[in-house]
Amino acid sequence: EEKLFYRSNGPTFVRNRSAIVKDDQIHALLSLLHQDYRDLGMTISVYGSLEDVKSDRNGTMERYMHKTNLDGVFSGEYGGYHQEGFVFLYPFNHHVRNSKLEDSVRRLFFVFDLMHEVRHAYQRIYFSSRRKKGYVEAGNDGYHSQWVERDANKFAQRFMEKYKECIDAILGIPFVWRC
């Protein structure tokens, strides 16, 4: 079994294959973060479809994502995933009932997922011992009750509430929303 490559502090790279959000929008969202979040050594990959995921499967993704997690992507369960500084985001997996608002709602889900996974990258650097204790994978009982997931959800929610107007301006959200 191949050993995972651990990325330490360093620049953030963005690999965007999605039309739902543009590169400059991703960078603008990331620039709202405190300086502690700027050099976490992340590679953020955003996928526009399952086909994009499948085409990247034999590259970066396969090395850093366990098969059970890939199954979660293919079944539509996952909006995002983090492993050792690699962030994978799947905005296409969020289903929206109102087709007129579909792109905007997916953008908001994207922001939440992005900030949730960025927080995991932060935890990897600054809370490494606490983060690894008895982690439960998504889809299992206890997943949402563990500290790392509660902390990442709370961080993403606080970010969205604090920067609501900036998010609206960056992403062109045309309606009033609450996180």
Side-chain angles (χ1 to χ4, degrees):
E1 183 172 303
E2 182 180 346
K3 186 174 175 144
L4 288 177
F5 171 71
Y6 179 82
R7 290 201 59 201
S8 58
N9 288 20
T12 295
F13 301 104
V14 174
R15 300 170 60 231
N16 184 15
R17 297 175 179 204
S18 175
I20 203 75
V21 63
K22 296 180 176 109
D23 291 13
D24 62 331
Q25 292 171 316
I26 297 169
H27 290 289
L29 291 167
L30 293 171
S31 74
L32 297 173
L33 290 164
H34 185 272
Q35 188 170 353
D36 289 352
Y37 290 83
R38 304 257 169 93
D39 294 312
L40 296 176
M42 295 181 290
T43 297
I44 299 170
S45 299
V46 186
Y47 297 94
S49 68
L50 273 178
E51 294 308 313
D52 292 334
V53 173
K54 289 174 185 174
S55 71
D56 197 33
R57 219 169 141 172
N58 296 323
T60 305
M61 178 180 281
E62 186 175 62
R63 258 182 291 150
Y64 296 98
M65 187 178 273
H66 304 292
K67 184 190 178 321
T68 55
N69 293 322
L70 275 173
D71 293 343
V73 174
F74 294 136
S75 68
E77 290 178 57
Y78 286 16
Y81 179 78
H82 167 265
Q83 180 70 40
E84 300 305 330
F86 290 86
V87 172
F88 303 100
L89 297 164
Y90 318 101
F92 61 87
N93 266 348
H94 290 289
H95 302 288
V96 181
R97 289 185 211 131
N98 185 335
S99 61
K100 291 179 184 176
L101 302 176
E102 185 173 17
D103 287 348
S104 293
V105 172
R106 278 203 176 126
R107 285 185 191 108
L108 292 173
F109 278 123
F110 167 80
V111 174
F112 187 91
D113 292 340
L114 173 65
M115 293 307 148
H116 177 100
E117 302 306 337
V118 163
R119 181 61 176 192
H120 284 320
Y122 180 88
Q123 292 167 345
R124 173 180 59 88
I125 302 280
Y126 295 103
F127 298 107
S128 62
S129 62
R130 188 171 185 191
R131 184 178 147 258
K132 297 199 184 235
K133 288 183 181 174
Y135 185 78
V136 177
E137 292 291 335
N140 295 305
D141 290 338
Y143 172 76
H144 291 289
S145 66
Q146 58 195 338
W147 174 82
V148 291
E149 296 304 330
R150 287 192 330 265
D151 177 68
N153 284 335
K154 194 181 301 181
F155 176 80
Q157 184 173 3
R158 280 193 320 253
F159 177 90
M160 290 185 75
E161 289 169 356
K162 181 176 181 178
Y163 295 109
K164 184 180 181 317
E165 282 121 26
C166 293
I167 293 167
D168 287 349
I170 291 167
L171 299 178
I173 304 298
F175 55 85
V176 177
W177 55 273
R178 288 184 49 194
C179 184

